[in-house]
Amino acid sequence: MSKQTLSFQAEVAQLLHLVTHSLYSNPEIFVRELVSNASDACDKLRFEALNNAALFENAPNLEVRVTFDKDAKTLTITDNGIGMSAQEAIDHLGTIAKSGTKDFMGKLSGDQKQDAQLIGQFGVGFYSGFIVADKITVESRRAGLQASEGVRWVSGGSGDFEVETIDRSARGTSVILHLRGDAEEYLNAWKLKQVIGKYSDHISLPILMEKEEWKESEKEGEPGAMVKTGEWETVNKASALWTRPKKEVTDEQYADFYKAISHDFEAPLTWAHNRVEGNTEYTQLLYIPAKAPFDLWNRDKKAGVKLYVKRVFIMDDAEALLPSYLRFVKGVIDSADLPLNVSRELLQESRDVRAIREGSTKRVLSMLEDLAKHDRHDAPAEGTDGVTDVVDADDKAKEGKYSKFYAEFGAVLKEGLGEDFGNRERLAKLLRFASTTSDTVSVGFADYKARMKEGQDAIYYITADNLAAAKNSPQLEVFKKKGIEVLLMTDRVDEWALNYLQDFDGTPLQSVAKGAVDLGKLQDEAEKKAAEEAAEAFKPVLAKLKEALKDKAEDVRVTSRLVDSPACLVVQDDGMSTQLARMLKQAGQKAPESKPVLEVNPEHALVKKLDGSVHFHDLAHILFDQALLAEGGLPDDPAAYVKRVNALLA
Ligand code: ADP
């Protein structure tokens, strides 16, 4: 292939612009990203060589070399890993394969500070080289190809790049950074060692640098200089972090390792590092991130846990190791029992993997329970499985972390109610909601139960599109009047998730927008009697209302749940809420066609006017449509609604 110039995919060009314009405040992360790519490339070679040892080309010692040239102002990171073919260089360095990239780019605001934050969630990888370089040359040869099938890739980091085939006898990849004038500090062995130590100590491969020594000048009066000796030394610890004893790893090292495997810029909220022994033996190092990644809601979002077997990297994103509702967890699981040639299919069926999955799920739940316990809002957590050795800073540092976690990942955690029956009770304890007495999402079911009124026998909740709609919903009126707390649920998954939770600790959960309200012991005899009488007197009007609204309402009945509003819509006990049905329709999915029940408040002036009114038909429809509007819906025929209201106003 002779030299050709190709354009970056539009998203890459955007990313590059961003990298060079917003990430200069923390330039040294390029070392972490490039060394981590080099290490991944070696991991991939080792994995492919399990089935094809010839790929090692008689050089099985995998390593990374970092060199610099002061005169040429270049810094070079070379690995002898899997390498790239010409086509792979074009594909991997010219396009971004992550799904959801386009949407992500659409979110960028142009505000450098904000975008720098966002980009941390995305991960810049290879392109971080352009923070310090105004040109990058990549030379590579894929393991197993001929020396004549090497590739050179060159780009100045704007719209395009050049590729050509070259001769390259060495397997693997060299990334040559042509440093900008303001990045020349990296042409210094001491500086490089310091940065490599910070970001790459946990990399299990040796990172080598050429030794230098001081040499006096031969000319009298001239200063000496550091010169290269031709000997190489390993400048990182070169032992995988999770294989080290906990005592020997600092919090900072744990956090740096997290950043390296997750490409996140922010430190994790907490982590757990354990060696599990028993029928299955494995080491787990699991992290809870502080920020949700940009693609948390992508259907094909990758899982976050890497699988190793006896320290050999097997695969990224091993989804069999944790249930999908814990997809935000990052980390490493290193099994002592699985075969090295384990495939994704095999993982699904392995008993060892099932044990790892159960153990890791429980570990994550204990970490969360531990955070919840230290959150100020919280009652002491129960149900930890005897875990005492969660590695973390002191208790004080855990304060407030659970709310932070919950704001980012609470909605994902709720999926667990439907996905993980075995841990449903533990999960239910971890849920938090806003309520009619708390605007912040901080009320757990246990807190709610502790505050229940004498005679109250259900946990009441309402689902709505947002907090304001939930708070102002007419269905809450009688609960407000009686001072009964109602949980306000505004996440899209709430209604679906709550289907799987009929009760909490023996107390049933009851939607205030479903079925008839039965306040039971909370209503006194006089109130009950008055309600019955009102209903009796209202019967003839009710019959006429049912007739007028027979196309819209399943039923019309008198209610005691309303105080200030004339009417509201409810669904049958086993029905889908109108709000969920609306959401499904918006998403283009089928929702069961069921008509809601209209409940009217016979005490309301508007409802009183119905009897004998010449506008009966119009009033009936207005009542119904307004009840729909009040819960965020739209009348089927908005124009007809406006016409009716206007006629009455006039
Ligand atoms: P990521 O590592 O998150 O996939 P990068 O932008 O860092 O994203 O790299 C893109 C791709 O380029 C990698 O997935 C890999 O296929 C390839 N690549 C990068 N560096 C190397 C390397 N040193 N050796 C082989 N392939 C590499």
Side-chain angles (χ1 to χ4, degrees):
M1 187 170 86
S2 54
K3 196 186 271 188
Q4 49 175 298
T5 303
L6 298 170
S7 297
F8 283 117
Q9 177 196 22
E11 286 84 34
V12 176
Q14 250 176 306
L15 182 64
L16 280 171
H17 179 82
L18 209 80
V19 164
T20 43
H21 287 83
S22 18
L23 291 181
Y24 47 75
S25 60
N26 190 13
E28 63 189 30
I29 59 144
F30 83 91
V31 173
R32 172 181 87 202
E33 302 291 311
L34 296 183
V35 169
S36 147
N37 278 353
S39 157
D40 288 351
C42 292
D43 280 343
K44 281 181 201 156
L45 174 62
R46 198 183 277 134
F47 182 65
E48 283 193 25
L50 290 173
N51 292 317
N52 180 9
L55 290 178
F56 277 131
E57 301 173 6
N58 297 322
N61 292 331
L62 300 174
E63 61 189 29
V64 179
R65 286 174 194 256
V66 178
T67 55
F68 59 92
D69 180 334
K70 275 197 166 126
D71 299 326
K73 300 197 171 43
T74 56
L75 171 62
T76 303
I77 296 169
T78 301
D79 65 71
N80 59 355
I82 191 73
M84 283 178 271
S85 66
Q87 192 57 47
E88 283 170 331
I90 294 173
D91 293 342
H92 295 161
L93 305 180
T95 57
I96 307 176
K98 286 179 223 182
S99 56
T101 298
K102 212 178 171 129
D103 292 345
F104 173 80
M105 292 297 167
K107 282 203 204 103
L108 298 173
S109 60
D111 177 80
Q112 283 171 10
K113 254 216 176 107
Q114 247 177 40
D115 289 349
Q117 278 272 331
L118 271 177
I119 204 76
Q121 289 157 257
F122 184 80
V124 286
F126 169 76
Y127 304 110
S128 63
F130 285 105
I131 308 173
V132 291
D134 47 22
K135 182 170 113 179
I136 300 181
T137 305
V138 177
E139 294 180 355
S140 189
R141 177 174 67 78
R142 200 180 201 285
L145 294 184
Q146 304 291 322
S148 60
E149 296 176 283
V151 59
R152 179 181 292 125
W153 178 103
V154 183
S155 176
S158 43
D160 48 29
F161 58 90
E162 277 173 12
V163 264
E164 62 184 315
T165 33
I166 55 165
D167 276 333
R168 182 177 161 99
S169 55
R171 166 195 82 216
T173 305
S174 294
V175 177
I176 304 153
L177 305 168
H178 306 265
L179 297 178
R180 291 173 197 286
D182 58 4
E184 285 175 21
E185 56 176 326
Y186 295 100
L187 299 172
N188 173 307
W190 183 84
K191 170 77 183 176
L192 285 171
K193 279 184 197 169
Q194 179 231 333
V195 182
I196 292 170
K198 174 158 181 212
Y199 290 116
S200 308
D201 253 355
H202 55 79
I203 296 268
S204 53
L205 301 167
I207 299 175
L208 304 173
M209 282 181 64
E210 200 176 336
K211 266 193 185 160
E212 290 185 17
E213 63 184 21
W214 181 257
K215 200 159 177 251
E216 297 294 342
S217 172
E218 304 197 332
K219 289 200 193 114
E220 189 93 22
E222 279 196 14
M226 295 300 285
V227 295
K228 304 225 157 98
T229 62
E231 270 175 70
W232 293 82
E233 62 176 334
T234 301
V235 296
N236 65 332
K237 284 211 175 63
S239 77
L241 184 104
W242 66 91
T243 62
R244 294 187 218 154
K246 279 195 284 211
K247 294 193 293 298
E248 291 174 19
V249 185
T250 65
D251 284 359
E252 204 187 346
Q253 286 170 326
Y254 275 120
D256 284 335
F257 179 65
Y258 163 79
K259 288 180 188 170
I261 58 168
S262 66
H263 299 280
D264 192 348
F265 285 22
E266 226 176 288
L269 280 183
T270 186
W271 58 87
H273 181 194
N274 293 89
R275 227 185 117 76
V276 181
E277 285 166 4
N279 288 338
T280 31
E281 266 187 48
Y282 59 97
T283 300
Q284 52 181 198
L285 173 52
L286 301 172
Y287 291 91
I288 312 277
K291 268 261 159 55
F294 77 101
D295 57 352
L296 184 65
W297 295 105
N298 234 345
R299 272 172 204 268
D300 42 2
K301 151 102 183 115
K302 303 268 172 59
V305 178
K306 289 174 189 281
L307 176 65
Y308 284 73
V309 172
K310 301 179 197 76
R311 302 183 191 189
V312 176
F313 170 79
I314 305 295
M315 67 180 79
D316 272 324
D317 326 317
E319 66 274 356
L321 300 179
L322 276 178
S324 144
Y325 74 95
L326 298 180
R327 60 185 175 274
F328 53 85
V329 174
K330 303 272 186 214
V332 167
I333 287 177
D334 190 345
S335 157
D337 308 311
L338 289 171
L340 278 168
N341 59 358
V342 65
S343 64
R344 282 188 196 262
E345 293 69 45
L346 214 78
L347 279 183
Q348 301 293 348
E349 289 151 22
S350 152
R351 267 182 47 222
D352 288 318
V353 170
R354 242 188 328 251
I356 293 177
R357 180 184 166 104
E358 264 170 42
S360 303
T361 301
K362 293 211 150 61
R363 180 67 63 194
V364 174
L365 295 181
S366 337
M367 276 196 270
L368 295 179
E369 282 158 357
D370 187 53
L371 288 186
K373 188 172 73 184
H374 291 90
D375 216 49
R376 263 162 308 148
H377 305 293
D378 217 274
E382 305 153 58
T384 49
D385 52 351
V387 176
T388 49
D389 52 356
V390 173
V391 180
D392 200 350
D394 61 336
D395 292 353
K396 189 84 189 149
K398 290 181 190 160
E399 239 175 52
K401 281 190 174 172
Y402 193 68
S403 336
K404 218 175 154 193
F405 160 78
Y406 203 81
E408 295 288 320
F409 303 110
V412 191
L413 199 63
K414 288 173 190 165
E415 294 174 10
L417 292 180
E419 197 186 338
D420 186 357
F421 299 155
N423 288 307
R424 203 183 294 164
E425 281 177 21
R426 286 178 78 174
L427 279 166
K429 286 183 188 159
L430 287 168
L431 301 187
R432 299 291 178 270
F433 303 98
S435 84
T436 43
T437 57
S438 162
D439 271 349
T440 58
V441 179
S442 60
V443 185
F445 288 125
D447 309 320
Y448 181 99
K449 269 194 81 165
R451 294 201 285 257
M452 271 180 15
K453 282 233 173 324
E454 180 92 17
Q456 182 180 348
D457 47 18
I459 296 173
Y460 292 107
Y461 70 90
I462 185 163
T463 55
D465 289 342
N466 55 60
L467 195 60
K471 268 166 89 172
N472 298 321
S473 138
Q475 281 98 335
L476 292 183
E477 288 171 3
V478 72
F479 294 89
K480 283 187 193 150
K481 186 175 152 200
K482 299 214 165 271
I484 301 168
E485 185 173 12
V486 177
L487 298 174
L488 308 175
M489 307 198 175
T490 52
D491 271 337
R492 282 175 163 240
V493 300
D494 282 330
E495 183 160 345
W496 172 85
L498 283 217
N499 270 331
Y500 294 95
L501 196 70
Q502 263 78 42
D503 66 285
F504 177 82
D505 197 13
T507 308
L509 270 73
Q510 171 67 47
S511 162
V512 303
K514 277 189 182 174
V517 260
D518 176 13
L519 291 178
K521 294 173 214 130
L522 291 166
Q523 211 170 19
D524 59 42
E525 284 309 311
E527 281 175 318
K528 270 189 198 158
K529 200 152 166 264
E532 277 162 22
E533 280 173 14
E536 191 57 33
F538 201 67
K539 263 194 175 151
V541 186
L542 216 49
K544 278 177 74 185
L545 270 177
K546 271 186 215 178
E547 178 55 28
L549 295 171
K550 65 174 185 295
D551 292 336
K552 287 180 170 172
E554 181 69 35
D555 192 12
V556 182
R557 63 189 179 214
V558 165
T559 185
S560 52
R561 82 175 93 217
L562 298 176
V563 179
D564 303 317
S565 301
C568 69
L569 297 176
V570 296
V571 290
Q572 307 286 33
D573 252 331
D574 52 355
M576 182 184 277
S577 78
T578 40
Q579 179 228 354
L580 181 59
R582 201 161 57 234
M583 242 162 58
L584 285 175
K585 275 191 200 149
Q586 278 167 4
Q589 297 188 28
K590 268 213 208 87
E593 284 301 332
S594 70
K595 287 184 269 180
V597 175
L598 180 72
E599 290 196 346
V600 293
N601 172 6
E603 301 300 319
H604 195 278
L606 182 54
V607 177
K608 283 185 174 158
K609 265 198 183 155
L610 279 169
D611 199 8
S613 165
V614 288
H615 301 295
F616 186 90
H617 186 82
D618 285 339
L619 280 173
H621 281 273
I622 289 172
L623 265 188
F624 183 94
D625 287 347
Q626 284 189 339
L628 195 58
L629 282 167
E631 60 170 52
L634 264 187
D636 281 341
D637 185 351
Y641 167 77
V642 171
K643 218 163 152 186
R644 286 191 176 115
V645 172
N646 285 348
L648 285 180
L649 288 174

